[in-house]
Amino acid sequence: MLAAAAIYPVPAADEPVRFTDVTAAAGIHFTHNSGRAGKKWLPETMGSGCAFFDADGDGWLDILLVNGKDWKPGARHTTAALYRNNHDGTFTDITRASGLDIEIYGLGVAIADYDNDGRDDVYITALGGDHLFHNEGGGKFRDVTHDSGIHNASFSAGAAWLDYDRDGKLDLFVANYVQWTAEGDLWCSLDGSTKSYCTPESYKGTPAKLYHNLGGGKFEDVTEKAGVGDPTSKSLGVVVLDYNNDGWPDIFVANDTQPNKLYRNLQNGRFQEEGLAAGVAFGEDGVARGSMGVDAGDYDRSGRPHLIVGNFSNQMLGLYHNEGKGLFVDEAPRSTVGRASLLTLTFGLFFFDYDLDGYPDILAANGHIEEEIGRVQPKIQYRELPLLLHNAGGGKFDPVNAFTQAMVARGAAYGDFDRDGDLDVLLSTNNGPAYLYRNDGGNRNHWLQLKLVGTKSNRSAVGAVARVSSAGGTQWQMVHSGSSYCSASDLALTFGLGKDATATSVEIEWPSGTKQKLANVAANQHLTIKEQ
């Protein structure tokens, strides 16, 4: 295990945790290409996502940065970028000949082992046609889209792997946005005289897609049969959660200017939409918001997953507390979360325990869509600071001044790239650089990282629930794909144990129904647990 204190400067005990920008030092040199050329086309505002995952199977997290392209062929040649972790805080660009070096207008990424061969595969959403890449090993990928049965030629954004029928094979949910083409682009204006970027209200929606994994690398479109194909949806973010704790994965979809969707798994291959009844379809004022990114987690140890949703400026974050019995209440308007996020426009966001005190915190990646927004709304900025909210317990969050670089952020992912126990942050920006932030000092508290490997269940263990108990109490997490905005965080689960040097018990509930329990597990270790 790598000892961070021997290599990196760690803040003194009385100093706050720091997020250090190590992008250049790590060898990450990437610039996103939105394709913008003065025409103000809607896709240019969206940006692309990012991912932490182990591309080559060496146990260390690598980095994938999704990219767009120029609208006219023959201009710049831009592709996604794959960086291999060198185990010393630096990365090497291995994009060339990786198989991921194809030019597409990419947006989102979802990572998991869809064929249970022990290697993480890559799904990239793109304008005009998504791509499924099979991991061949050694950092090499093969485009298997054509033969897979996945044909989603839409304006797609977020995506998530899930085993909705619990058959041991991962299925795929894809969030599709609006019906936009270059030929059908509309003229919109902020000031009535010059063209600006249109909002999604100007365009018709597009149904999401659900693909059932048939095995053998084949998928079947079951969108209509499953009941998740609402044509009015304008979907950007998706998170998989078991909101009613019945053991079956449900789906929350963040819609931009349309009601959010909460699809309850009926356990028979179908879903029922419960967003309105559950209280998550709209904001507190009963109006559909401009929702982008989303995540789920139990931030107050209530035993239930809650929702955090990134929204447009002047709308604040949505912090939907799961009250049980299928009902959520938005706590943001009455809390610091709402006040701190009111003026920001949030795309990527997630729950993660950055200081390892056992209570999940919130990070929101912010940035507006219109460069000239400050001219018409002086309180709103185009480039914005990421927002870090520390969980103070009791449902309270406090803003932390952890970031100083304003940016037009879009994607956001977390993972422990240096294997020192605490969670680092990867951010992508629209038409700009990516940022890698190393967590310095989070591991002053004790921690436990669990990598779950399914056998009867899907090998990525998506849907598995881990409960960790220590002297400070019990906390739980579910392995889930998707979340944030167009991005993929590490599937391993990181638990902060605070001052507790031992977890008295670690319990795993696998999607197959199998249960496992470990007793008296020492803290500060990376533990791989295989389903028995």
Side-chain angles (χ1 to χ4, degrees):
M1 183 171 61
L2 186 66
I7 298 176
Y8 306 126
V10 177
D14 59 346
E15 293 181 25
V17 175
R18 293 199 301 258
F19 281 93
T20 304
D21 183 352
V22 296
T23 314
I28 306 297
H29 305 289
F30 174 85
T31 301
H32 174 259
N33 178 13
S34 70
R36 65 181 186 182
K39 294 184 178 180
K40 299 278 187 176
W41 284 353
L42 176 62
E44 298 168 4
T45 67
M46 307 308 296
S48 302
C50 54
F52 276 124
F53 79 116
D54 186 1
D56 54 2
D58 65 354
W60 292 71
L61 292 178
D62 308 300
I63 287 174
L64 177 63
L65 299 165
V66 182
N67 211 346
K69 67 173 184 176
D70 287 335
W71 297 112
K72 289 186 177 180
R76 293 171 292 176
H77 181 77
T78 52
T79 74
L82 180 62
Y83 288 91
R84 184 186 63 218
N85 193 323
N86 296 327
H87 309 180
D88 61 359
T90 69
F91 292 79
T92 297
D93 188 337
I94 60 168
T95 310
R96 189 173 181 180
S98 68
L100 300 176
D101 54 339
I102 63 172
E103 194 171 32
I104 57 176
Y105 202 96
L107 284 103
V109 56
I111 306 289
D113 180 5
Y114 74 84
D115 60 349
N116 296 326
D117 67 352
R119 297 185 292 267
D120 284 338
D121 308 299
V122 175
Y123 187 83
I124 295 181
T125 64
L127 182 65
D130 299 351
H131 291 261
L132 177 62
F133 296 95
H134 181 263
N135 191 332
E136 302 288 295
K140 304 292 184 181
F141 295 81
R142 178 168 54 95
D143 191 337
V144 296
T145 315
H146 183 268
D147 295 328
S148 70
I150 296 175
H151 305 293
N152 187 46
S154 300
F155 187 165
S156 49
W161 296 98
L162 74 159
D163 185 4
Y164 75 90
D165 56 354
R166 293 173 49 177
D167 66 352
K169 301 185 293 292
L170 286 176
D171 313 299
L172 179 68
F173 185 93
V174 184
N176 287 323
Y177 195 35
V178 296
Q179 298 179 32
W180 178 91
T181 62
E183 297 76 20
D185 184 72
L186 301 174
W187 192 92
C188 299
S189 177
L190 285 172
D191 58 14
S193 60
T194 57
K195 186 179 181 185
S196 64
Y197 290 110
C198 292
T199 70
E201 293 165 300
S202 304
Y203 297 94
K204 293 181 178 180
T206 310
K209 290 286 187 179
L210 179 62
Y211 292 96
H212 180 240
N213 190 335
L214 301 174
K218 302 292 185 181
F219 291 81
E220 175 191 10
D221 186 342
V222 294
T223 308
E224 293 302 320
K225 183 166 60 176
V228 296
D230 184 346
T232 67
S233 289
K234 300 175 182 181
S235 306
L236 291 176
V238 54
V239 63
V240 179
L241 73 163
D242 180 9
Y243 79 94
N244 55 1
N245 289 332
D246 65 354
W248 292 76
D250 311 301
I251 303 170
F252 177 87
V253 183
N255 280 319
D256 192 357
T257 70
Q258 287 291 311
N260 298 324
K261 305 295 184 185
L262 180 61
Y263 291 109
R264 177 167 61 89
N265 193 326
L266 299 180
Q267 308 178 20
N268 60 1
R270 292 187 53 80
F271 292 82
Q272 182 168 307
E273 210 288 295
E274 302 278 5
L276 181 61
V280 296
F282 302 101
E284 192 182 44
D285 56 1
V287 176
R289 296 190 281 197
S291 300
M292 272 75 73
V294 62
D295 196 18
D298 182 9
Y299 64 81
D300 62 353
R301 297 194 180 181
S302 64
R304 298 183 294 270
H306 315 293
L307 290 164
I308 183 82
V309 182
N311 293 311
F312 210 79
S313 52
N314 292 312
Q315 293 182 340
M316 74 180 59
L317 297 178
L319 182 61
Y320 295 101
H321 185 270
N322 187 339
E323 304 287 303
K325 298 182 179 179
L327 182 64
F328 291 77
V329 174
D330 189 357
E331 298 288 345
R334 294 174 290 279
S335 72
T336 306
V337 173
R339 293 189 295 274
S341 64
L342 178 60
L343 298 180
T344 58
L345 196 166
T346 300
F347 276 81
L349 81 170
F350 46 72
F351 290 111
F352 77 138
D353 187 359
Y354 79 87
D355 60 349
L356 301 172
D357 64 355
Y359 289 87
D361 313 295
I362 297 170
L363 186 137
N366 306 314
H368 211 274
I369 63 170
E370 179 57 65
E371 278 187 279
E372 302 298 321
I373 189 62
R375 189 160 51 86
V376 293
Q377 297 186 46
K379 292 184 178 181
I380 307 296
Q381 304 297 316
Y382 178 54
R383 292 178 176 81
E384 301 174 344
L385 291 173
L387 174 63
L388 182 64
L389 294 163
H390 179 256
N391 189 336
K396 297 181 179 179
F397 291 86
D398 298 320
V400 177
N401 295 322
F403 298 91
T404 59
Q405 178 65 51
M407 63 187 76
V408 188
R410 293 296 184 259
Y414 60 83
D416 180 15
F417 81 84
D418 52 4
R419 289 181 64 84
D420 68 349
D422 50 31
L423 293 169
D424 312 298
V425 171
L426 180 65
L427 300 177
S428 64
T429 70
N430 189 32
N431 214 54
Y435 293 90
L436 178 63
Y437 289 96
R438 188 184 64 220
N439 184 328
D440 290 332
N443 59 6
R444 287 190 299 238
N445 278 323
H446 293 300
W447 51 272
L448 188 63
Q449 287 184 3
L450 305 179
K451 180 181 179 181
L452 306 184
V453 179
T455 53
K456 296 183 282 291
S457 305
N458 68 88
R459 191 178 176 98
S460 293
V462 170
V465 173
R467 289 180 173 82
V468 173
S469 298
S470 65
T474 299
Q475 49 187 309
W476 69 277
Q477 296 181 47
M478 186 178 82
V479 181
H480 62 288
S481 169
S483 294
S484 190
Y485 169 76
C486 288
S487 298
S489 295
D490 184 18
L491 291 176
L493 304 178
T494 296
F495 289 88
L497 298 179
K499 303 306 177 184
D500 300 340
T502 302
T504 53
S505 73
V506 174
E507 299 179 61
I508 312 297
E509 294 182 11
W510 300 91
S512 66
T514 299
K515 295 183 180 181
Q516 283 176 249
K517 185 174 182 178
L518 289 74
N520 299 321
V521 178
N524 304 338
Q525 63 170 316
H526 303 87
L527 191 61
T528 298
I529 301 177
K530 193 170 184 179
E531 182 180 12
Q532 295 179 347

